Structure formats: structure tokens, C-alpha cells
């Protein structure tokens, strides 16, 4: 069962203090978190066009991803993984499995994923100290990337990471490297390539199939293991990579009222998910007791994965 949380105040919604006239003053998020001036490679965040070996690899990743993420593929993946018959692990044990994983789709980060999880969680904790569910959501939001691990099927990167998008309806122009969708079998299928496709306006994102990856998998794991995280937490887990929605406003015609409320929390979260990627290290052992207490509050001791 999930609960609804009070909505945040949005007087400064989506505002990041940007320096003017080339000044190098610090960028600051809502509650005081200092935004790094550049990603770990010295470039602007989510810049998919800058020339570099990393960018070439990222673009090739999206080419394969966009060709293969079809309705049939997503149905097959969801059917296979919804059984949750791979392993039984605690949340923290799963966090530790991410130590050797690097996300090939991310132009901003080459650190092990556990570093990013804690950077995001600690940044949010600083600015939103009373929203403990949000701290935990930040810690676990990328745990679905364990799909890359042999114990979870060792799926290829294109089926685990990267920006997500709906399948079963038209691919929006705002999706990164959209040009590669022309090779997707669903692209010219009249059942799938209209604005609504197989869905109806206002049907709710819960009823929309998303491209398969770590977001949808972790959402499934949390829900089926009966987490008591609020609805907004589950929404963040499932849609934090859905940049076409929360950055470009695409696909809002499929949302219902609950989605609209939860999107406000996702837009807060996403700023920390993106801008907390840096070389600043987190003392894992120091913060572990706090996060373990949240895990005990919102999850069972062992989860089926």
C-alpha cells in the first residue's frame, strides 16, 4: 500500500540561480545545494552534441536502444521480470552490487553508481530535511541497474539505462537522438505511431508501457514487495529518466490528475539527480545508518528481485 504526501510549495519551482555575464559564482538549487559548473568531463550537463569519445559511445548506445525498444520487446521483458524470481536481497545489498557498474548512456558521469545514489540522496537531504521518503527514493532510484549484473540476467546496457519513453504511441521529437527511431519496427506501424496510439487521452501513466529499463524494473520491485513509499516516490522511481515529459512537457495528454501532482515532486527530484553528479565523494559508512533506518521504515528486510 502507498500513501499520498502533502504537496511541496512551488514559489521557486524549477529555479536555479544562474550567474550572469559569464560570472563564475556558484549555482544554487532551491534550498542551498551548490550546483557544479560542469559535469565530470568538464562539459555542460546532458550535452549530447559536444565532440568527444564519450559522446560517440553515448550516441551509439541510443541508436541501438531506439531501434530495439518496441511494444513486443517491452511486453516480453515485463512478463519475464514481473515474476521476481531472480534473487532475494536487502536494499543495501543491492546498492553494493552497483559498485562495479558504469552507465554507458550517461554523458555526465563515469563514477560507480553507488556514488551517484548517495550524492543525490545527500543533496536532497540537505535541502528537504523533513521529507525522509524523498531521501530514500533518491538512494534507490537507480537500483534497477542491477539488471546489468549476471544474477539478474546481465541484460545489455541499451535494455537497462538511458532516457525512457512510451512505446505504443508516436515517438516524440524531444527524445534524445530521435533520428534513430526510423529503424524501429513500430515507427511505421499505424497502430502505434499516432499521438495516442494504443492509449486514450488522460488514461494515466500507470496504464502506459514505458521503454524497458532500470526505472520500470525498480518500480515493479518496489510495488510488488509492498513498499510503503508514497505515490510520489514510486512515480519518481518509474519516470526519473522520462526526460521528454519532465524536461520538455511531452506526453502530458496521457497524464491524469494524480500524475500531475506527482510530476511536481519529480521535477524537484530531477534537479538533484542531474546536478549532484560530481567528483565529491560521500563517506558511505558515516551515512549508512541513517539510510538503513529509512530502508527499515519503508521496505521489508529482504526483497524479491
Amino acid at each position: 500500500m502507498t500513501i499520498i504526501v502533502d504537496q511541496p510549495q512551488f514559489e521557486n519551482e524549477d529555479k536555479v540561480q544562474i550567474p550572469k555575464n559569464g560570472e563564475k559564482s556558484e549555482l544554487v538549487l532551491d534550498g542551498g545545494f551548490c550546483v557544479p559548473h560542469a559535469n565530470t568531463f568538464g562539459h555542460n550537463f546532458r550535452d549530447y552534441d559536444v565532440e568527444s569519445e564519450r559522446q560517440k559511445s553515448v550516441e551509439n548506445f541510443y541508436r541501438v536502444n531506439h531501434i530495439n525498444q518496441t511494444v513486443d520487446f517491452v511486453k516480453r521483458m515485463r512478463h519475464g521480470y514481473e515474476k521476481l524470481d531472480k534473487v532475494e536481497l536487502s536494499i543495501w545489498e543491492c546498492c553494493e552490487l552497483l559498485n562495479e557498474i558504469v552507465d554507458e548512456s550517461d554523458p555526465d558521469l563515469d563514477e560507480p553508481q553507488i556514488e551517484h545514489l548517495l550524492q543525490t540522496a545527500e543533496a536532497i537531504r540537505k535541502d528537504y530535511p523533513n521529507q525522509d521518503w524523498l531521501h530514500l527514493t533518491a538512494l534507490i532510484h537507480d537500483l534497477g541497474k542491477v539488471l546489468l549484473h549476471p544474477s539478474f540476467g546481465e541484460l545489455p546496457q541499451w535494455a537497462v539505462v538511458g532516457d525512457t519513453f512510451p512505446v505504443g504511441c508516436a515517438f516524440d521529437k524531444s527524445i534524445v537522438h530521435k533520428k534513430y527511431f526510423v529503424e524501429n519496427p513500430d515507427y511505421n506501424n499505424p497502430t502505434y505511431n499516432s499521438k495516442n496510439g494504443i492509449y486514450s487521452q488522460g488514461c494515466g501513466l500507470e496504464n502506459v508501457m514505458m521503454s524497458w529499463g532500470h526505472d520500470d524494473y525498480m518500480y515493479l520491485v518496489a510495488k510488488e514487495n509492498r513498499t510503503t513509499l508514497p505515490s510520489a516516490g514510486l512515480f519518481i522511481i518509474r519516470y526519473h529518466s522520462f526526460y521528454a515529459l519532465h524536461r520538455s512537457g511531452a506526453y502530458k495528454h496521457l497524464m491524469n490528475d494524480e500524475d500531475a501532482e506527482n510530476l511536481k515532486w519529480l521535477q524537484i527530484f530531477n534537479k538533484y539527480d542531474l546536478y549532484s553528479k560530481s567528483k565529491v565523494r560521500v563517506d558511505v559508512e558515516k551515512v549508512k545508518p541513517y539510510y538503513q533506518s529509512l530502508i527499515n521504515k519503508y521496505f521489508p528486510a529482504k526483497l524479491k528481485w
Side-chain angles (χ1 to χ4, degrees):
M1 150 177 158
T2 58
I3 56 175
I4 304 294
V5 297
D6 292 335
Q7 291 304 310
Q9 299 298 316
F10 293 101
E11 296 172 356
N12 297 312
E13 182 177 2
D14 289 336
K15 290 185 179 179
V16 178
Q17 298 176 20
I18 306 295
K20 299 178 181 179
N21 303 320
E23 296 176 3
K24 290 191 175 182
S25 58
E26 292 180 324
L27 308 186
V28 182
L29 289 182
D30 297 332
F33 170 71
C34 294
V35 179
H37 295 288
N39 64 22
T40 57
F41 302 99
H43 303 137
N44 292 330
F45 286 93
R46 286 183 61 81
D47 188 341
Y48 289 95
D49 298 318
V50 65
E51 287 293 328
S52 70
E53 288 304 312
R54 177 72 172 178
Q55 297 301 332
K56 292 176 183 177
S57 173
V58 170
E59 180 166 353
N60 185 62
F61 162 88
Y62 277 109
R63 181 185 67 82
V64 179
N65 172 278
H66 290 356
I67 292 171
N68 288 285
Q69 290 279 1
T70 64
V71 169
D72 287 344
F73 173 74
V74 171
K75 286 182 176 179
R76 190 163 67 251
M77 289 295 100
R78 287 187 65 87
H79 177 72
Y81 278 94
E82 67 186 1
K83 301 170 186 176
L84 300 181
D85 60 357
K86 304 300 180 186
V87 295
E88 288 193 17
L89 291 173
S90 70
I91 291 285
W92 198 265
E93 286 171 333
C94 199
C95 286
E96 292 176 338
L97 280 182
L98 294 187
N99 276 335
E100 298 178 4
I101 292 176
V102 174
D103 183 342
E104 292 179 1
S105 74
D106 195 336
D108 298 323
L109 188 71
D110 65 351
E111 296 294 325
Q113 291 300 304
I114 186 64
E115 294 286 334
H116 168 55
L117 297 181
L118 287 170
Q119 286 170 349
T120 306
E122 284 294 281
I124 291 177
R125 182 182 174 190
K126 176 181 178 182
D127 288 357
Y128 293 87
N130 298 322
Q131 305 290 348
D132 68 353
W133 65 270
L134 192 56
H135 311 163
L136 180 59
T137 298
L139 178 72
I140 70 172
H141 76 282
D142 273 348
L143 283 192
K145 291 180 181 180
V146 291
L147 288 173
L148 297 166
H149 193 274
S151 298
F152 294 78
E154 202 169 8
L155 294 182
Q157 289 254 349
W158 65 262
V160 179
V161 298
D163 287 16
T164 58
F165 45 84
V167 297
C169 60
F171 301 115
D172 190 79
K173 63 182 180 180
S174 65
I175 301 172
V176 63
H177 293 307
K178 60 185 181 300
K179 60 188 176 183
Y180 295 116
F181 283 121
V182 296
E183 300 179 60
N184 185 300
D186 292 350
Y187 185 80
N188 292 312
N189 186 328
T191 302
Y192 302 141
N193 65 10
S194 64
K195 181 178 180 179
N196 288 335
I198 60 176
Y199 312 111
S200 59
Q201 186 161 332
C203 65
L205 294 180
E206 170 68 20
N207 299 305
V208 174
M209 282 189 292
M210 299 296 294
S211 54
W212 177 253
H214 72 280
D215 308 59
D216 221 28
Y217 176 59
M218 189 60 207
Y219 165 77
L220 185 155
V221 168
K223 186 176 179 182
E224 294 304 313
N225 280 280
R226 300 180 181 276
T227 181
T228 55
L229 281 174
S231 172
L234 290 174
F235 190 90
I236 289 169
I237 290 169
R238 193 179 190 205
Y239 303 112
H240 68 270
S241 302
F242 190 5
Y243 279 86
L245 171 68
H246 56 73
R247 289 292 294 275
S248 302
Y251 300 103
K252 285 188 174 181
H253 61 285
L254 299 176
M255 293 169 52
N256 59 24
D257 291 342
E258 184 177 1
D259 294 330
E261 290 301 308
N262 286 336
L263 180 59
K264 298 174 183 177
W265 279 110
L266 175 56
Q267 288 170 328
I268 286 177
F269 170 84
N270 180 251
K271 292 180 290 187
Y272 295 87
D273 186 21
L274 175 62
Y275 292 118
S276 65
K277 297 173 182 177
S278 71
K279 292 293 186 180
V280 177
R281 308 302 291 267
V282 176
D283 186 335
V284 177
E285 292 307 312
K286 181 178 179 180
V287 302
K288 181 177 177 179
Y290 173 71
Y291 289 102
Q292 187 61 60
S293 72
L294 300 187
I295 292 168
N296 296 341
K297 179 178 178 180
Y298 289 103
F299 281 93
K302 293 282 187 178
L303 280 67
K304 293 181 179 179
W305 300 80

